[in-house]
Amino acid sequence: MGKPTIADLAKAAGVSATTVSHAFSGRRYVDPETRKRIEALAEAIGYRPNHRARRLRTGGAGSIALVSSMPFAVAAGPSRLGFLMEIAAAAAVTAFSRGISLCLVPPLGPRDSLDALEVDGAIVVEPELDDPVLDFFFDRGVEVVSIGRAPGRDSLPFVDLQSGATAHLLLDHLLEGGGRVGLITGLQRRNSYIEMEAVYAERVAQAGLSAIAIRVDERGGEQAAAAAAERLLRDDPTISALCVPVDAFATGVLDAAGIVGRTVPHDLRLATRYDGMRARLATPPLTAVDLHLDQVAAAAVDLLLARLGQLDPAPTIVSPPSLVLRASSVLPSR
Amino acid sequence: MGKPTIADLAKAAGVSATTVSHAFSGRRYVDPETRKRIEALAEAIGYRPNHRARRLRTGGAGSIALVSSMPFAVAAGPSRLGFLMEIAAAAAVTAFSRGISLCLVPPLGPRDSLDALEVDGAIVVEPELDDPVLDFFFDRGVEVVSIGRAPGRDSLPFVDLQSGATAHLLLDHLLEGGGRVGLITGLQRRNSYIEMEAVYAERVAQAGLSAIAIRVDERGGEQAAAAAAERLLRDDPTISALCVPVDAFATGVLDAAGIVGRTVPHDLRLATRYDGMRARLATPPLTAVDLHLDQVAAAAVDLLLARLGQLDPAPTIVSPPSLVLRASSVLPSR
DNA sequence: TACCGCTTGCAAATCGTTTTGCATACGGCC
DNA sequence: GGCCGTATGCAAAACGATTTGCAAGCGGTA
């Protein structure tokens, strides 16, 4: 016969299933001695409550989804993979410590392929404007929080990536080197780009400089950025620094700089946003921002659980972003 | 009132719940016209079958786990993160295309934190000898397959990482450059290390050379490898090439080479296994092996589903590993 | 007419919990 | 002794689907 059920355990302990249930849940008083006996017996016969039955009764799936709003692997090498996966790893750890599991959800393909998914809530990473993935979950009545504000959806709860502060860190650093500073963001309308562009416009105006900002389609990856940067650098030789938040774009720019004969950082200073392997291993290594993604991920999980009523709302603390200076933007002092 | 149930739909269509169920599952004939009506009505009232109820009845969780047998992030930067996450991304896509979802499971911490996990099966990535994670799932009666053979568990189904072939590719390439070739593997007993060491011993013997092989604790990461390599290179200046399967170790060796004043590839040729971002972005870029992890991941998902009886066993094809030559092991031809 | 087989549909059991409403026992109090 | 409140436990009703066994309708055949 199969796994022992609550009825088996009840029979063994000489009580009813109700009492067993109460003994475990504590929702009603059970004689301590009875409870002890039940617990010991449960251990002995190897009883474990059936999740499926419990969930049918109580509702709730016991899991949450982590969703990328972008293709996992863009054609030429995984672009946001590092970013997403660093979050995924941290989120999985936090989720499991809270007793729920984490489903990794690939970007929306054909609608129905996601029909199998059953989760209590979802975390969407850096949604873009009118992101279809948000509608998808809304339709299903699934609670959603985002990492990074969702443009055009002010009511959606989110964990702030503090893109404004990040933008200031990067741009101030590049601007204080003097010269003309350009900006390369993504074509998609994500909050981090929007804030970055706003701060850029403001700073450039303050400094009395003209803006040089272009957008590249994320799906083009490194190559698209390299091509765009090459054009930009040829058109405008006065550019002395570039702020390139997307790390894959930044390494593309590095290639472009090589092609047009500019040395980084001497002829072109460069900084990016996400401080991942890409930034650290680039040649030269890229100045970047520590976004504390592990904390962000943990905060997102807790925020979601709080909204689901499974956790008391206790705001997790996320450290402010901090600049990590590297050779790509720092001229060696002589 | 809540979401429509099968009873609501049945009433609306003027049939019984049974008929509705059969109309969807096709397990028994229903009049095509009736079925049409049911389907149209389902769409109209927004009926979607309740997963929880279905699962209680049929058994099955509708999801599988992907498990790392190592800490996600080892102290000094994610070492195997790239490897694991590349698999995770591909596995998620394949799993969802098969109508099941993928849970990312952090390495075993306190036992009970995994109690929430409910999956039909698990994929364990490169288990080591006596890996506790395997026992954990066996205890729970969860079907397991591994990526890379599980040492000491010959009966466990697995997707071959073709470590023998990989070893031959790397070692033959390094050996044909002449000189003495050393090997740095991991202390943990994973199949890929074991096979690599075996092939190494064989090849070195064939060539009439003496073996220089050391093992480094994976948990020490890049630094530990750098320290070990530095010692090795100082002790034995005749070493002309190193085969370092762990990518994080390989970049550590790169550092060590710099410290002892060796230029790669001129004074030391270097090759690693996993062709990830680390290998590609290192300076110089590292010769590596394309393991076709996307195919491996897809094959693992399908193998698991086949074992669960949810898929007809149709062996997925995994391309043989292929060498990716890069500057770390190829002397510029003059 | 009686019988058979085929098509189509329904009622009811089942999966294993949680939870509600009721029952029993018992002690204390007037 | 009668009454009431409290402590403890049980029976039974959900939860929403799947699946089995049975039956009605119907045409064809002997």
Side-chain angles (χ1 to χ4, degrees), chain A residues 175-226:
Chain A
L175 281 164
E176 78 191 7
R180 301 192 65 199
V181 177
L183 177 70
I184 301 183
T185 53
L187 196 57
Q188 286 71 10
R189 295 293 74 203
R190 304 187 195 279
N191 181 254
S192 60
Y193 301 151
I194 296 172
E195 289 205 38
M196 176 68 80
E197 292 166 9
V199 171
Y200 175 76
E202 173 200 321
R203 276 292 194 266
V204 162
Q206 279 175 0
L209 302 170
S210 62
I212 316 169
I214 63 173
R215 294 174 185 165
V216 175
D217 191 329
E218 287 171 348
R219 289 166 300 183
E222 205 163 359
Q223 280 85 0

Side-chain angles (χ1 to χ4, degrees), chain B residues 5-6 18 21 27-28 57:
Chain B
T5 74
I6 197 172
T18 307
S21 176
R27 296 183 66 87
R28 219 139 108 167
R57 179 63 226 238

Side-chain angles (χ1 to χ4, degrees), chain A:
Chain A
M1 89 174 201
K3 286 186 55 174
T5 72
I6 197 172
D8 298 331
L9 177 53
K11 189 154 11 156
V15 296
S16 75
T18 307
T19 306
V20 174
S21 177
H22 289 326
F24 284 125
S25 70
R27 296 183 65 87
R28 219 139 107 169
Y29 188 90
V30 177
D31 187 287
E33 197 167 325
T34 310
R35 148 179 285 140
K36 279 255 175 55
R37 198 175 65 242
I38 290 175
E39 283 170 353
L41 236 34
E43 180 71 22
I45 69 174
Y47 167 76
R48 255 193 298 269
N50 179 313
H51 284 114
R52 296 188 265 272
R54 171 177 296 177
R55 283 178 194 148
L56 171 59
R57 180 62 228 234
T58 59
S63 66
I64 58 176
L66 182 75
V67 192
S68 162
S69 75
M70 273 194 66
F72 269 160
V74 293
S79 148
R80 285 165 73 79
L81 193 60
F83 187 82
L84 178 67
M85 290 307 179
E86 191 172 330
I87 290 175
V93 171
T94 303
F96 272 90
S97 79
R98 303 273 186 258
I100 65 172
S101 51
L102 184 116
C103 275
L104 194 59
V105 177
L108 248 49
R111 282 258 148 170
D112 16 18
S113 70
L114 274 191
D115 270 354
L117 186 66
E118 200 209 346
V119 292
D120 296 322
I123 299 173
V124 178
V125 180
E126 290 217 278
E128 56 181 311
L129 190 63
D130 301 325
D131 205 314
V133 87
L134 297 179
D135 295 322
F136 176 84
F137 287 111
F138 284 144
D139 282 355
R140 281 177 166 53
V142 173
E143 187 79 25
V144 174
V145 307
S146 68
I147 288 182
R149 188 190 301 264
R153 302 251 198 183
D154 291 340
S155 60
L156 192 77
F158 66 98
V159 175
D160 200 353
L161 276 175
Q162 306 180 76
S163 299
T166 301
H168 277 119
L169 282 176
L170 288 172
L171 292 170
D172 288 353
H173 167 60
L174 290 177
L175 281 164
E176 78 191 7
R180 301 192 65 199
V181 177
L183 177 70
I184 301 183
T185 53
L187 196 57
Q188 286 71 10
R189 295 293 74 203
R190 304 187 195 279
N191 181 254
S192 60
Y193 301 151
I194 296 172
E195 289 205 38
M196 176 68 80
E197 292 166 9
V199 171
Y200 175 76
E202 173 200 321
R203 276 292 194 266
V204 162
Q206 279 175 0
L209 302 170
S210 62
I212 316 169
I214 63 173
R215 294 174 185 165
V216 175
D217 191 329
E218 287 171 348
R219 289 166 300 183
E222 205 163 359
Q223 280 85 0
E230 187 180 338
R231 243 172 292 128
L232 189 66
L233 291 173
R234 288 202 202 282
D235 284 0
D236 197 334
T238 66
I239 295 174
S240 63
L242 279 175
C243 179
V244 188
V246 181
D247 60 349
F249 286 1
T251 50
V253 170
L254 226 39
D255 293 344
I259 290 175
V260 303
R262 298 242 216 162
T263 313
V264 175
H266 300 87
D267 310 324
L268 181 71
R269 296 168 61 236
L270 199 59
T272 189
R273 179 180 72 143
Y274 167 52
D275 183 32
M277 219 189 296
R278 227 183 177 97
R280 285 194 287 267
L281 293 178
T283 316
L286 302 176
T287 287
V289 175
D290 185 351
L291 297 169
H292 307 287
L293 287 185
D294 52 343
Q295 295 174 15
V296 167
V301 170
D302 284 352
L303 174 62
L304 181 56
L305 292 183
R307 305 236 2 140
L308 291 169
Q310 297 187 22
L311 196 69
D312 293 332
T316 322
I317 292 153
V318 176
S319 312
S322 55
L323 197 63
V324 182
L325 293 176
R326 297 227 178 76
S328 73
S329 72
V330 179
L331 293 169
S333 58
R334 0 94 276 141

